[in-house]
Amino acid sequence: MEMLEHFLPGLSQVINYPLHYQVTNHTRYQRLYGKKLLWHIESLKLDFIMVIETDSLQITQEKDPQNIHLSITTDLASLIALATDSHNPKQTFTLQGDNELANLLKTYLKNLDIDWQGLLTDLLGPDLAYLIHDQVKRTHHWGKKSQQAFIRSSHDYIVHTNSLTPSKES
């Protein structure tokens, strides 16, 4: 995908700006930093190399198989679920390379924590940043509760309308 090359600089800026506000124990991830990770996104037929540093990501389409430390093959839905910390039962990742490095990458991505309020404070000022951050947290909490209530009531409806009895394990 040659078109990606035109978007890489902008994509890198969009990704890297929030990374300056990450709350991360960098000593834990020293072994991951600077390593070339080759990503294959099968559904897009897209390959790119990502290099993670302490406060940035470099994304290129350079292909140098000699220096790849870990190769990750996935589909777009799994990548989005990973990036948004969503549950996707059909997530598929195929990893080739150093297992320790793969586990470290998984831990890094799972524990990546951005200080969004700090980022918003620098952009908008402390008062507006607090209001936005607080509202987003409340909305997220409400969404989670609504999702759980929907699943619970759907389950109850299905059981009731079909005269099903839950198993002892439920």
Side-chain angles (χ1 to χ4, degrees):
M1 278 200 156
E2 295 173 22
M3 198 165 82
L4 182 65
E5 291 175 23
H6 300 291
F7 293 107
L8 283 178
L11 180 64
S12 293
Q13 284 182 331
V14 167
I15 292 171
N16 285 326
Y17 189 78
L19 287 178
H20 292 291
Y21 292 88
Q22 67 180 309
V23 182
T24 302
N25 176 0
H26 292 294
T27 55
R28 182 178 184 183
Y29 301 107
Q30 286 301 314
R31 188 165 178 273
L32 178 63
Y33 296 149
K35 301 291 193 278
K36 287 187 176 183
L37 312 174
L38 176 61
W39 290 80
H40 303 283
I41 313 302
E42 291 179 323
S43 52
L44 298 177
K45 294 183 174 51
L46 173 67
D47 294 348
F48 61 90
I49 292 178
M50 177 188 295
V51 178
I52 301 173
E53 298 296 345
T54 55
D55 62 353
S56 67
L57 293 175
Q58 283 79 46
I59 300 172
T60 64
Q61 285 197 292
E62 160 205 343
K63 294 195 175 141
D64 185 4
Q66 304 300 337
N67 295 322
I68 300 298
H69 296 91
L70 184 64
S71 177
I72 304 114
T73 303
T74 188
D75 57 35
L76 186 59
S78 297
L79 186 61
I80 290 171
L82 176 70
T84 59
D85 198 25
S86 302
H87 176 69
N88 178 359
K90 296 180 182 176
Q91 266 184 336
T92 57
F93 289 92
T94 304
L95 304 169
Q96 293 177 317
D98 186 339
N99 282 343
E100 237 180 88
L101 195 61
N103 287 330
L104 195 58
L105 174 64
K106 178 182 173 184
T107 303
Y108 174 83
L109 293 172
K110 183 177 180 186
N111 295 327
L112 184 62
D113 185 21
I114 304 293
D115 177 12
W116 293 106
Q117 189 170 350
L119 184 148
L120 290 171
T121 298
D122 287 350
L123 292 173
L124 306 171
D127 296 335
L128 189 54
Y130 173 78
L131 290 172
I132 292 171
H133 187 261
D134 186 57
Q135 190 60 44
V136 167
K137 275 181 23 180
R138 288 176 191 239
T139 303
H140 179 72
H141 180 69
W142 174 83
K144 285 270 191 201
K145 285 178 62 177
S146 296
Q147 180 185 22
Q148 291 168 351
F150 174 75
I151 291 169
R152 192 172 37 255
S153 62
S154 297
H155 174 267
D156 293 346
Y157 173 78
I158 292 168
V159 167
H160 178 73
T161 57
N162 293 312
S163 300
L164 300 174
T165 55
S167 67
K168 291 179 182 180
E169 296 172 0
S170 298

